[in-house]
Amino acid sequence: MKKYRNYNFDQFVTDSDFIHWVIDPDIESDKFWNQVIKQFPDKKTTINQAVLFVKSLKAVERPIPQDRLDSVWDKVTKTKERKIRLQTVWRWAAVFIILASISILIPNIRRAPEFNFAENKTDQFDQATIILPDGSVNAIPEKESEIKIASAKQIIVNKDTLSSSIPEKSEVKLIKVVMPYGQQTSLQLPDGTTVYVNAGSQLSFPVSFDGKQREVYLTGEAFFNVVKDKEHPFIVNTPDIEIVVTGTEFNVSSYSDDNFTQTVLVEGAVSVRKNELFGKRVDILPGESAFFDKESKSINTSKVDIEQYTSWIHGYIICKNDPVNEVIKKVGRYYNRDIKVMDNLSGITFSGKLDLKEDVQNVLGSIAYTSSITFETESDIIRIKN
């Protein structure tokens, strides 16, 4: 640590430990560099400037666009005009070399996923659907289903086999499972990982996990029981955040009409970060939640009751002083019913266990019985009043 006492700007931006911290911070490195700042307070401004500089380069995006190379060359020529020693120019070049090498050595450095989440519009489907890599569309009429990806050419749905003509090694190899409101499925991925996909959700994944990472793409809600493989991290990409694990059980809720994305950990360990190149990683432990606020773009952690967030896979909704608005939204998704809230229900909460095997009228009756709401049904529309 003492060596940083006399460090200047150039030395910080070419120090590999410093760049590791800026690009891929963790608890240990945060602690170390905060201690450096505390021990050498006169370096705080220089460190902050170096942090901004390293982040602004974003050299880990490969390949580097030509306009960025031109910009760098302009900086180099300007430094010459200012009569800065040639050694300084080499230091600037060293920054790019170090950043590029770190982008290879650190697998956790991420760019926002290239997957087009805007195309994931569940309301375009009126029944559960599997879209295979060859473009074939297969409907699943059952309210609840089981899907197993046996191979790239064999997908089993409720014991029936679907065939795909796409070869195992095809470049186009994403399978999309769509669960509209009112339907759910349990799914076994190519690596044996089990996923429960909730109503109003879509999950896209490759026909086989051939690369260094196992990546899937989710909108809506799903519960994951991931097969352990430390050499091949499992990554759940959502429109706002990514969740990185090696083997664990957790629930992710990322509905487009909610103002949040939430990850709740049941077992193991997960890391959550925003879909940004330099997004800071947040680690959570079993019994904790990582809550991403879409407006503030912040991630907050807290202890939660796991059962409240995972009971849906067993056919229940468990509530403990939950806002009745949110409870009604979950009920509407599960039963695929148009439920309109006619009055302001803010401040009204509900506690209890809702059995989703019951008729929607009985479920809403249970909510109304213990809270100050009423409901009426007209044709296919259910109206909620205070």
Side-chain angles (χ1 to χ4, degrees):
M1 185 179 293
K2 290 183 180 180
K3 71 175 183 178
Y4 298 112
R5 181 194 302 274
N6 299 315
Y7 257 39
N8 59 26
F9 175 84
D10 290 356
Q11 289 171 310
F12 276 116
V13 299
T14 55
D15 184 276
S16 60
D17 290 333
F18 179 81
I19 296 173
H20 268 272
W21 170 57
V22 175
I23 293 177
D24 193 45
D26 55 30
I27 295 174
E28 185 176 342
S29 61
D30 275 342
K31 183 178 179 181
F32 176 82
W33 284 101
N34 285 327
Q35 188 62 34
V36 171
I37 294 171
K38 185 177 180 181
Q39 186 167 340
F40 309 119
D42 58 311
K43 296 295 178 184
K44 183 175 181 179
T45 299
T46 303
I47 289 175
N48 287 340
Q49 291 173 343
V51 167
L52 291 174
F53 178 79
V54 171
K55 286 187 175 182
S56 70
L57 289 178
K58 297 185 179 179
V60 296
E61 293 183 84
R62 301 186 299 261
I64 301 174
Q66 185 60 45
D67 59 347
R68 186 173 300 172
L69 293 173
D70 294 340
S71 174
V72 173
W73 177 247
D74 289 341
K75 290 181 181 178
V76 172
T77 56
K78 287 180 181 178
T79 60
K80 287 182 178 180
E81 292 171 5
R82 293 171 188 164
K83 298 181 180 180
I84 294 179
R85 297 189 309 272
L86 184 61
Q87 181 183 5
T88 302
V89 177
W90 284 110
R91 282 177 179 171
W92 295 126
V95 173
F96 282 92
I97 295 171
I98 292 172
L99 283 172
S101 63
I102 288 176
S103 71
I104 298 172
L105 295 174
I106 302 178
N108 291 329
I109 297 176
R110 303 274 297 158
R111 286 179 289 173
E114 298 177 357
F115 183 83
N116 187 2
F117 284 102
E119 295 180 353
N120 276 15
K121 295 181 179 180
T122 308
D123 55 8
Q124 295 177 345
F125 300 85
D126 54 13
Q127 61 180 330
T129 302
I130 298 179
I131 304 174
L132 300 181
D134 60 5
S136 59
V137 178
N138 302 270
I140 306 174
E142 293 84 2
K143 182 178 177 63
E144 296 184 359
S145 58
E146 293 183 3
I147 303 170
K148 180 179 179 180
I149 311 302
S151 70
K153 300 179 181 180
Q154 190 178 53
I155 294 92
I156 302 172
V157 180
N158 294 337
K159 299 182 179 180
D160 293 327
T161 300
L162 304 178
S163 296
S164 172
S165 60
I166 297 296
E168 296 262 358
K169 301 298 181 180
S170 170
E171 292 182 4
V172 183
K173 53 182 180 180
L174 282 184
I175 296 174
K176 179 182 288 187
V177 173
V178 183
M179 287 294 122
Y181 293 130
Q183 290 182 268
Q184 297 177 330
T185 191
S186 63
L187 167 67
Q188 187 178 99
L189 296 179
D191 65 336
T193 290
T194 300
V195 187
Y196 296 89
V197 184
N198 206 353
S201 306
Q202 290 193 32
L203 185 72
S204 297
F205 52 91
V207 294
S208 61
F209 294 115
D210 299 323
K212 296 180 180 179
Q213 300 171 150
R214 299 171 286 167
E215 293 198 62
V216 301
Y217 304 88
L218 171 71
T219 55
E221 184 170 23
F223 179 88
F224 294 84
N225 187 345
V226 178
V227 170
K228 190 172 183 179
D229 184 350
K230 291 184 178 181
E231 300 300 319
H232 300 87
F234 190 95
I235 300 173
V236 180
N237 294 286
T238 76
D240 303 296
I241 65 170
E242 65 170 26
I243 303 99
V244 183
V245 308
T246 54
T248 184
E249 296 181 29
F250 60 101
N251 192 80
V252 181
S253 181
S254 182
Y255 286 103
S256 59
D257 58 344
D258 284 340
N259 60 4
F260 64 88
T261 294
Q262 188 171 23
T263 304
V264 174
L265 181 60
V266 176
E267 182 181 299
V270 305
S271 297
V272 179
R273 75 169 79 198
K274 291 184 284 186
N275 279 335
E276 298 175 349
L277 183 62
F278 295 99
K280 187 174 182 179
R281 183 177 65 198
V282 176
D283 298 324
I284 58 174
L285 299 174
E288 292 183 340
S289 158
F291 186 95
F292 173 77
D293 188 301
K294 294 181 181 179
E295 294 183 3
S296 66
K297 306 299 182 183
S298 61
I299 299 177
N300 296 303
T301 62
S302 63
K303 290 188 176 297
V304 295
D305 182 347
I306 293 173
E307 195 175 27
Q308 283 186 259
Y309 299 91
T310 60
S311 59
W312 65 268
I313 68 176
H314 304 296
Y316 298 96
I317 297 178
I318 294 179
C319 307
K320 295 182 180 178
N321 294 318
D322 291 354
V324 75
N325 267 330
E326 294 300 317
V327 179
I328 290 171
K329 183 186 289 187
K330 290 180 180 179
V331 171
R333 286 170 177 164
Y334 180 81
Y335 288 98
N336 192 25
R337 295 298 300 269
D338 185 6
I339 303 178
K340 298 185 180 299
V341 178
M342 310 304 294
D343 299 322
N344 184 5
L345 302 183
S346 61
I348 302 176
T349 61
F350 172 74
S351 296
K353 181 177 181 180
L354 301 175
D355 188 346
L356 298 177
K357 293 187 288 293
E358 297 282 346
D359 181 85
V360 65
Q361 302 286 337
N362 292 337
V363 171
L364 291 174
S366 298
I367 300 173
Y369 182 76
T370 58
S371 58
S372 57
I373 67 167
T374 60
F375 69 93
E376 60 183 27
T377 303
E378 181 180 337
S379 185
D380 292 330
I381 300 174
I382 300 175
R383 292 184 172 85
I384 305 292
K385 296 182 179 181
N386 187 353

